[in-house]
Amino acid sequence: MAIIETKPAYYNCSKCPAYCCSIYERVQVTKRDLKRLAKHFAVDLETAARRFTSIWQGERVLRRKADPIFGKACKFLNPDTRQCTIYHARPLVCREFPGRARVRLL
């Protein structure tokens, strides 16, 4: 059996109701992500951590809020446009989504 790695999947985010911002219970925030958020909002690290993140099972994650479609979503999802309001300051896990190429087995 051969494994052939194909090109990464293309996602047209403008046609998506923001599944990636809504269906995952947590969005991990690294120290670097926290620094990026603090700089984006012109606040110190402590303020950014308090306002934008919480601790979930020992891991720093983005806060969530009520969402009219999925019940809960990322704090930074615009519920009307379904787009990220901090796109240029988004965490690494969001930047890397979907994270891997598709693999096809022959």
Side-chain angles (χ1 to χ4, degrees):
M1 179 183 329
I3 297 175
I4 298 174
E5 194 167 313
T6 61
K7 293 181 182 179
Y10 172 75
Y11 290 91
N12 184 345
C13 295
S14 67
K15 294 182 179 184
C16 175
Y19 291 119
C20 60
C21 303
S22 308
I23 63 172
Y24 300 109
E25 291 184 13
R26 63 181 181 30
V27 173
Q28 181 186 39
V29 177
T30 65
K31 288 180 183 181
R32 188 172 184 183
D33 295 331
L34 191 58
K35 288 178 184 178
R36 192 180 306 111
L37 283 170
K39 182 178 179 180
H40 180 78
F41 288 102
V43 297
D44 59 52
L45 287 174
E46 185 179 312
T47 301
R50 188 178 64 252
R51 286 186 189 170
F52 312 128
T53 70
S54 60
I55 302 297
W56 185 79
Q57 296 184 357
E59 178 181 44
R60 183 164 303 281
V61 296
L62 284 182
R63 290 187 179 271
R64 292 170 55 87
K65 65 179 181 181
D67 180 67
I69 296 176
F70 295 106
K72 284 199 169 189
C74 174
K75 171 184 181 66
F76 298 108
L77 176 66
N78 180 315
D80 298 321
T81 65
R82 307 305 290 172
Q83 294 181 346
C84 180
T85 61
I86 60 161
Y87 188 79
H88 296 290
R90 69 196 187 282
L92 180 62
V93 69
C94 301
R95 292 169 184 269
E96 291 181 338
F97 184 83
R100 62 185 168 90
R102 293 181 296 174
V103 175
R104 182 179 60 179
L105 298 176
L106 294 179

